[in-house]
Amino acid sequence: QSALTQPASVSGSPGQSITISCTGASTDIGTYDLVSWYQQHPGKVPKLMIYEDRKRPSGVSNRFSGSKSGNTASLTISGLQAEDEADYYCCSYAGDNTFVFGTGTKVTVL
Amino acid sequence: QVQLVQSGAEVKKPGSSVKVSCKASGGTFSTHSISWVRQAPGQGLEWMGGIIPIFGTPTNGQKFQGRLTITTDDSTSTAYMELSSLTSEDTAVYYCARDQGSFGSATGFDHWGQGTLVIVSS
C-alpha cells in the first residue's frame, strides 16, 4: 500500500485560507468515505481534526473543513492563525481493516 | 476520559525484537480498534497494523507481514506491539491510537498514546 500523496509544504499569511490536497487511489480514498486528517505540532502527539471526509470532532475549530472529490481529499484551513503552523497528515481506510497515511504537509504561517 | 499510556523507551540491537505496551483507561476497551503507528525521525506517520480486541484477530500492513505481532490482554485493557528482526530503519517513535468508532468503523483515531521511542543500534 503506497502512501497517499500530499504537498510537502503549504504556506499562507494570517487570515488567509489554505488548502492541503491528499491524493490516493480508487482502492482507498475513491472507495471509502473514511478520510481523516491529523494535526501534529513538533514533538507532540497527532490530533484528530477531521473524520469521515468532512466531519469535525467536538472542540475542533470550524476554521478546519474537509472535502473530497474522486480519489483526492482536501483539508482547508480558513482564517489562518499562527497556532495552525504544524504538520498535517491525511489518512484513509483502505479496506480489510487497513489504513494508509499521507506523506504529510508542513504548514507555515508567514 | 480515555487515556492510552505506553511503556518506556527502548534501545535494541539489530536482529532483536521489541515489545511495546499500550494500557487503556476510561471508555470501553474491547470494542474500539487499536492501531499502531510509527514515525521515524523527521519523517511522516506510518500505519503498521491494528486489532479490535473483542475479535482478537490482528491486521498487519503488508510492509510488516511476518515480523509484526499485535495482541491484547482484555483483563488489563492493554494492547501490545512486538516487532522482530529489527534494523536501524526501525528506529522511530511508536504510537498506539484508538479508533473513536466501534467494531472497526474506521472513523478516525481520536486518542493516542504518548509515544514510545525505539532506538535500534549496535
Side-chain angles (χ1 to χ4, degrees), chain A residues 1 34 36 38 40 43-48 50-52 57 87 89 91 93 96-104, chain B residues 33 35 37 39 43-47 50 52 59-60 62 95 99-100 104-110 112-115:
Chain A
Q1 187 76 32
L34 294 171
S36 51
Y38 301 86
Q40 187 181 34
K44 301 297 186 181
V45 171
K47 176 185 177 183
L48 178 65
I50 295 288
Y51 67 99
E52 291 181 1
D87 294 325
Y89 296 91
C91 178
Y93 182 71
D96 295 327
N97 293 318
T98 66
F99 295 85
V100 59
F101 276 95
T103 50
Chain B
S33 72
S35 281
V37 178
Q39 186 169 37
Q43 303 300 309
L45 302 175
E46 180 176 31
W47 186 82
I52 305 172
T59 301
N60 293 347
Q62 282 186 333
Y95 295 101
D99 192 319
Q100 65 176 342
S105 57
T107 54
F109 305 121
D110 65 338
W112 294 67
Q114 82 275 21

Side-chain angles (χ1 to χ4, degrees), chain B residues 7 24 26 29 32 39 49 56 66 69 76 78 92 113 118:
Chain B
S7 48
F29 177 74
H32 291 262
Q39 186 169 37
T69 303
T76 60
T78 302
V118 175

Side-chain angles (χ1 to χ4, degrees), chain B residues 47-97:
Chain B
W47 186 82
M48 300 176 66
I51 189 169
I52 305 172
I54 196 170
F55 298 143
T57 303
T59 301
N60 293 347
Q62 282 186 333
K63 179 177 178 179
F64 303 97
Q65 294 286 2
R67 68 184 192 106
L68 175 64
T69 303
I70 296 174
T71 57
T72 59
D73 180 344
D74 289 3
S75 68
T76 60
S77 298
T78 302
Y80 298 91
M81 183 282 298
E82 184 170 20
L83 190 63
S84 61
S85 302
L86 294 170
T87 72
S88 58
E89 295 190 352
D90 294 315
T91 293
V93 174
Y94 289 76
Y95 295 101
C96 59

